[in-house]
C-alpha cells in the first residue's frame, strides 16, 4: 500500500534518509523542517501518516501531535514520533501526546519502514480519517 506521508525533522540529513526510503517504496512524501510547517502541511495535504521529530524549531513534534489530536479533522491520523531521546519516560510522553509509535534515533531504515508499514496497515478500512 502506498500512501501520502508528511515527514517533519529539522535535521536535513535524517529527513533526506527518511524521504528516500519512503519514496523508494512508492509513497508520496511531503517534507518540512519545522513543527509549524508540519501542522500546515498536514492540514492542507491530509496525509495517511505523519512522521514527526520531537525536537524542532517552533512547535515541537509533541505539540504538533497534541494539536492534531485536538482537531476532529486530524484526530485519527497515525503519527510516528522520532527522537534521539530514548528514555522510557520520554517515549511515554510521545505516546501520551498522540503518537502511535516511537522510533529512537539513530534507527535503521528497515526499522522505519517496518513501523510505517505497520501503521499504514493498522489504518486500513478503519475509517479513522476525519
Amino acid at each position: 500500500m502506498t500512501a501520502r506521508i508528511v515527514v517533519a525533522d529539522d535535521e536535513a540529513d535524517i529527513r533526506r534518509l527518511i524521504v528516500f526510503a519512503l519514496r523508494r517504496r512508492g509513497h508520496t512524501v511531503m517534507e518540512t523542517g519545522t513543527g509549524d510547517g508540519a501542522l500546515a502541511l498536514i492540514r492542507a495535504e491530509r496525509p495517511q501518516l505523519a512522521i514527526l521529530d520531537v525536537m524542532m524549531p517552533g512547535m515541537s513534534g509533541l505539540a504538533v501531535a497534541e494539536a492534531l489530536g485536538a482537531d476532529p479533522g486530524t484526530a485519527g491520523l497515525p503519527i510516528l514520533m522520532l527522537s534521539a531521546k530514548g528514555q522510557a519516560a520520554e517515549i511515554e510522553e510521545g505516546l501520551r501526546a498522540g503518537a502511535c509509535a516511537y522510533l529512537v534515533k539513530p534507527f535503521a531504515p528497515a526499522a522505519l519502514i517496518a513501523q510505517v508499514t505497520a501503521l499504514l496497515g493498522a489504518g486500513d478500512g478503519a475509517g479513522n480519517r476525519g
Side-chain angles (χ1 to χ4, degrees):
M1 167 189 178
T2 59
R4 295 167 51 80
I5 301 172
V6 167
V7 174
D9 196 307
D10 62 327
E11 294 179 59
D13 290 342
I14 290 177
R15 198 169 63 241
R16 276 193 293 271
L17 170 72
I18 294 167
V19 169
F20 176 78
L22 294 173
R23 285 187 177 150
R24 193 166 167 216
R25 281 153 186 85
H27 298 295
T28 300
V29 184
M30 295 139 291
E31 59 181 294
T32 182
T34 67
D36 301 292
L39 193 57
L41 262 179
I42 290 164
R43 287 181 170 156
E45 299 294 335
R46 310 302 258 177
Q48 282 83 38
L49 175 68
I51 300 176
L52 306 174
D53 183 19
V54 170
M55 297 180 289
M56 290 186 285
M59 291 180 81
S60 71
L62 299 173
V64 173
E66 290 169 351
L68 293 171
D71 180 344
T74 56
L77 178 68
I79 298 169
L80 172 57
M81 197 72 69
L82 303 176
S83 183
K85 296 180 171 190
Q87 298 295 319
E90 295 161 335
I91 294 170
E92 179 60 33
E93 182 181 21
L95 297 174
R96 235 187 350 265
C100 301
Y102 194 103
L103 198 56
V104 178
K105 296 178 187 177
F107 54 84
L112 170 77
I113 295 303
Q115 286 284 358
V116 166
T117 301
L119 290 171
L120 291 173
D124 281 352
N128 62 354
R129 294 284 308 135

